Amino acid sequence: MSALQPKKSLPSTKIADTLGVTEAASSPTLSGAARRDLEAAAAPEWAAGAGAAIRATRAELVAWLQALLRQGVYRLRPGPVAVMPIGRIHQQLSVALAAAVETPALQAARERLSDDLARADARSAALASLDPSDPEAPALYDELIALGLDALQQLSEIEIELAAQHAGLDALTGLPGRRALYQRLAAEHARSQRSVHRCAVVLIDLDRFKPVNDQYGHLVGDDFLRAFAAALRAELRPYDAAFRFGGDEFVLVLPDVTNDQAEAVVERIRQRLQRQPLLEVDGTPLWAEFSAGVAALDGARTPAEALGRADAQLYAAKARRAHRVAQIPTATVPEGAPLARPKRRAGS
Ligand SMILES: Nc1nc2c(ncn2[C@@H]2O[C@H](COP(=O)(O)OP(=O)(O)OP(=O)(O)O)[C@@H](O)[C@H]2O)c(=O)[nH]1
């Protein structure tokens, strides 16, 4: 299959090179269903969802703290101890953190919050079982308030970290960008140095993406990139991450995965793209093809070395692919679409 199916004589909406386009521009040529699917898949849903989930978590915590504080100093106004809604809080937190990149700062705040909640839960049970006149009761009460306040503080740290990640999201695809990639690679690499921890890095580059822009215009090209990002996400496990590296290049970070298993993930993505076109433009299917390079982060001295190895593999794959595509009779290649060719990217 080629990236482009038979050429359409659509008016060219080609925009002067719009590398790094930041607006989620939309094309009127997509069918309604395709547009809806695309928007649903590409919206940085975690950014909006995570914000609401953090607010809900805070509301639960504050309501619990208010109930405790209303009791005043426990020894003066003893009453049934407010029960911490720990189940609901954890549920909201898991929504908030579902698609977050696990940076060291986020991990520290998350772990401390989780510890605060566990201790507060245990302390409130202990306080509830005490007679209010017990001399230990006031100290337990004070400790509960302190734990609740610290939990709120950790929640703010998490929110700040998520907001920073949101700001680093690529506006076109909704995927995290390079900064988040480097943070994630550094964190995974550090983990692999401490213990036996595998992690694969996959560098992916679309084949013959330029002709999509050239033939259908950059707005369709943008939709193509969005849909490709959505396809990547759809094939990954929750703890894997996809990043937009730039242009038509993407990176996958796959923890606990060997190179062979990473190759299998790449194959799964490829099969998905062979089963269904990435987009339909006025009834014309557009198919996506890509080349990929895989490297083990755990075997590399630095994250940059792993990325470099993946890049070398990608370059070799591009060369093989160009050779293969060059075998396709010209008639089956869309008019005007250059054959895929290996290219040198910055830094390779
Ligand atoms: N529509 C759109 N195009 C982009 C964006 N970023 C980069 N591009 C285009 O992506 C193309 C990338 O160039 P290449 O990687 O050489 O294109 P290719 O046809 O995939 O080349 P091969 O990888 O050799 O098959 C350029 O034409 C860029 O203008 C973007 O955000 N939106």
Side-chain angles (χ1 to χ4, degrees):
M1 273 178 280
S2 69
L4 285 171
Q5 290 298 304
K7 182 176 180 180
K8 296 284 293 178
S9 53
L10 289 175
S12 170
T13 51
K14 185 170 176 182
I15 299 169
D17 214 330
T18 51
L19 260 175
V21 170
T22 52
E23 264 184 23
S26 55
S27 154
T29 51
L30 282 187
S31 72
R35 154 103 13 241
R36 269 196 310 282
D37 286 354
L38 194 54
E39 284 173 354
E45 69 281 348
W46 73 266
I54 290 277
R55 282 194 293 281
T57 312
R58 182 175 289 112
E60 296 279 6
L61 263 174
V62 166
W64 173 72
L65 264 172
Q66 280 173 339
L68 271 182
L69 289 168
R70 269 198 300 275
Q71 293 177 321
V73 179
Y74 181 69
R75 62 179 168 259
L76 297 182
R77 291 162 75 183
V81 177
V83 180
M84 176 183 244
I86 193 155
R88 288 203 300 272
I89 291 178
H90 276 299
Q91 205 178 354
Q92 292 297 341
L93 273 175
S94 64
V95 173
L97 294 166
V101 176
E102 182 83 323
T103 58
L106 184 60
Q107 187 183 7
R110 197 177 50 68
E111 286 176 0
R112 186 156 160 185
L113 173 59
S114 175
D115 189 49
D116 283 345
L117 294 176
R119 284 168 58 200
D121 190 41
R123 298 296 188 280
S124 61
L127 186 60
S129 69
L130 278 188
D131 186 296
S133 62
D134 190 304
E136 278 187 30
L140 260 182
Y141 175 85
D142 288 349
E143 198 186 342
L144 261 183
I145 302 286
L147 285 169
L149 290 173
D150 193 66
L152 278 177
Q153 175 64 34
Q154 299 315 313
L155 199 59
S156 298
E157 303 286 340
I158 290 175
E159 191 173 23
I160 290 166
E161 190 62 23
L162 291 183
Q165 289 189 13
H166 178 204
L169 283 186
D170 168 52
L172 182 74
T173 60
L175 293 181
R178 276 190 191 213
R179 185 168 157 266
L181 168 68
Y182 294 143
Q183 286 177 335
R184 175 72 184 258
L185 287 177
E188 295 288 352
H189 189 257
R191 230 177 120 195
S192 74
Q193 302 293 295
R194 282 199 307 272
S195 58
V196 184
H197 171 65
R198 290 196 170 280
C199 185
V201 184
V202 184
L203 193 51
I204 289 179
D205 185 297
L206 281 169
D207 290 332
R208 300 200 296 171
F209 171 60
K210 191 172 177 297
V212 177
N213 275 334
D214 291 347
Q215 269 190 272
Y216 294 96
H218 273 248
L219 297 184
V220 170
D222 285 353
D223 284 339
F224 198 86
L225 291 173
R226 276 194 209 101
F228 186 70
L232 292 181
R233 262 197 303 234
E235 289 298 333
L236 297 183
R237 304 165 303 174
Y239 35 94
D240 296 332
F243 300 82
R244 185 170 181 210
F245 198 56
D248 61 348
E249 290 185 315
F250 297 82
V251 174
L252 309 180
V253 176
L254 312 174
D256 302 318
V257 154
T258 62
N259 278 7
D260 283 351
Q261 289 166 330
E263 298 277 3
V265 172
V266 170
E267 197 45 42
R268 211 167 63 215
I269 297 168
R270 211 185 290 290
Q271 282 170 10
R272 178 191 187 89
L273 297 171
Q274 284 172 353
R275 273 197 309 273
Q276 60 196 61
L278 199 56
L279 283 185
E280 281 198 12
V281 180
D282 280 355
T284 302
L286 302 190
W287 300 85
E289 286 190 351
F290 65 88
S291 301
V294 173
L297 183 63
D298 46 293
R301 273 175 299 138
T302 61
E305 185 179 301
L307 264 184
R309 283 188 198 159
D311 191 51
Q313 295 293 326
L314 168 61
Y315 184 70
K318 276 275 175 198
R320 284 196 302 275
R321 223 163 166 70
H323 176 73
R324 188 174 69 73
V325 175
Q327 308 304 313
I328 298 175
T330 318
T332 67
V333 176
E335 194 190 326
L339 296 175
R341 64 201 181 288
K343 66 177 177 186
R344 276 261 165 229
R345 290 176 314 287
S348 65

